[in-house]
Amino acid sequence: MTPQGRFISFEGIDGSGKSTQVALLADHLRAQGREVVVTREPGGSPGAEEIRALVLQGAVDRWSAETEILLFTAARRDHLERTIRPALAAGKIVICDRFADSTRMYQGLSRGDLRGAVDALHTLMIGLEPDLTILIDMDPAAGLARAKARQTVEERFEDFGAGLQEAMRAGFLALAQEFAQRFRVIDGGRGVDAVAKDIRDVVAAVL
Ligand code: ADP
Ligand code: TYD
């Protein structure tokens, strides 16, 4: 079945402003009279939110990268079945704060090269890519400072440190070239309004 809606994902390092911009874009599209579903990963359905607590809390070495690939993909499958596919089938715009590109980066790159395993499991169990992926690119030190200022218990990945954030930034930019057709890169190191305007323009061009 071909989804009739539109699927937009946001990617970028921790603290790059994804959640902030997801909310602003949703407000903007709703003001135009569009039906929008805002969701996030890991999470976005009751079962996937339970898995979220398992993967984002606790010691840095709580799970191996391989186990994480399985947990994130399990959460994504539930999210897809219960939230994303029904919304797309109903013609809605789904805006998702992170999706499979985050697994390609965080599990595929952070502790050795597991990109092949991530992609194989994605093909087998998910098989859906966003129509548009907005990559908010910014300096990792500034992003980490913003993220750390939030003070939550979900800091497992932030605790991997600045080195990981540097690698993730470079990895995301490489991914944007690999999937150039669906990716748009936005400079996130500016004020909230300037970033939001660029995102609105990019989305308008695609919708
Ligand atoms: P992410 O979801 O990518 O981790 P958030 O949207 O939660 O990022 O933003 C992280 C923190 O930085 C929040 O406290 C948010 O208010 C702040 N923030 C977001 N965008 C900007 C911006 N353009 N300039 C300064 N601070 C920002
Ligand atoms: P998120 O709540 O988006 O954190 P932030 O707002 O700080 O960007 O995501 C939490 C963490 O989960 C983030 O550090 C990245 C990680 N993550 C993965 O490692 N793999 C994944 O597939 C996803 C979706 C997230």
Side-chain angles (χ1 to χ4, degrees):
M1 186 178 67
T2 309
Q4 303 134 18
R6 282 284 180 277
F7 182 23
I8 302 173
S9 67
F10 277 70
E11 298 284 357
I13 57 172
D14 296 326
S16 56
K18 297 179 299 299
S19 313
T20 302
Q21 296 297 333
V22 162
L24 290 173
L25 178 64
D27 287 348
H28 172 72
L29 293 174
R30 285 180 182 131
Q32 292 181 339
R34 297 180 191 267
E35 276 199 283
V36 179
V37 171
V38 170
T39 187
R40 68 166 181 184
E41 291 208 345
S45 63
E49 290 288 335
E50 290 192 38
I51 297 175
R52 179 182 177 97
L54 292 176
V55 286
L56 295 192
Q57 298 180 28
V60 165
D61 63 356
R62 182 176 185 185
W63 310 107
S64 70
E66 288 83 352
T67 309
E68 279 174 18
I69 294 172
L70 295 168
L71 288 168
F72 279 105
T73 306
R76 183 162 303 126
R77 175 74 198 203
D78 191 63
H79 185 207
L80 194 67
E81 289 176 7
R82 317 259 171 162
T83 305
I84 298 176
R85 284 219 182 269
L88 292 176
K92 296 176 184 171
I93 298 176
V94 175
I95 306 178
C96 194
D97 191 339
R98 294 192 184 279
F99 192 64
D101 295 313
S102 281
T103 316
R104 293 186 172 105
M105 289 298 100
Y106 287 82
Q107 282 66 48
L109 278 191
S110 64
R111 283 147 290 174
D113 182 8
L114 290 174
R115 174 70 193 278
V118 172
D119 283 339
L121 205 55
H122 180 80
T123 302
L124 192 64
M125 286 295 160
I126 309 297
L128 178 74
E129 299 292 354
D131 298 300
L132 170 67
T133 298
I134 294 169
L135 172 59
I136 306 184
D137 176 60
M138 72 174 292
D139 171 51
L144 203 58
R146 284 185 192 169
K148 281 282 179 192
R150 274 184 314 212
Q151 293 278 344
T152 69
V153 292
E154 295 181 338
E155 301 210 330
R156 230 187 111 233
F157 286 92
E158 285 156 26
D159 289 343
F160 276 84
L164 176 73
Q165 300 294 332
E166 282 287 356
M168 293 300 112
R169 181 194 199 179
F172 272 124
L173 288 169
L175 211 56
Q177 300 218 315
E178 184 180 341
F179 298 109
Q181 211 188 338
R182 70 175 161 88
F183 263 88
R184 296 293 178 272
V185 182
I186 303 284
D187 173 9
R190 299 172 294 155
V192 171
D193 293 343
V195 177
K197 185 190 178 302
D198 282 5
I199 291 172
R200 286 198 301 272
D201 290 348
V202 157
V203 170
V206 169
L207 293 181

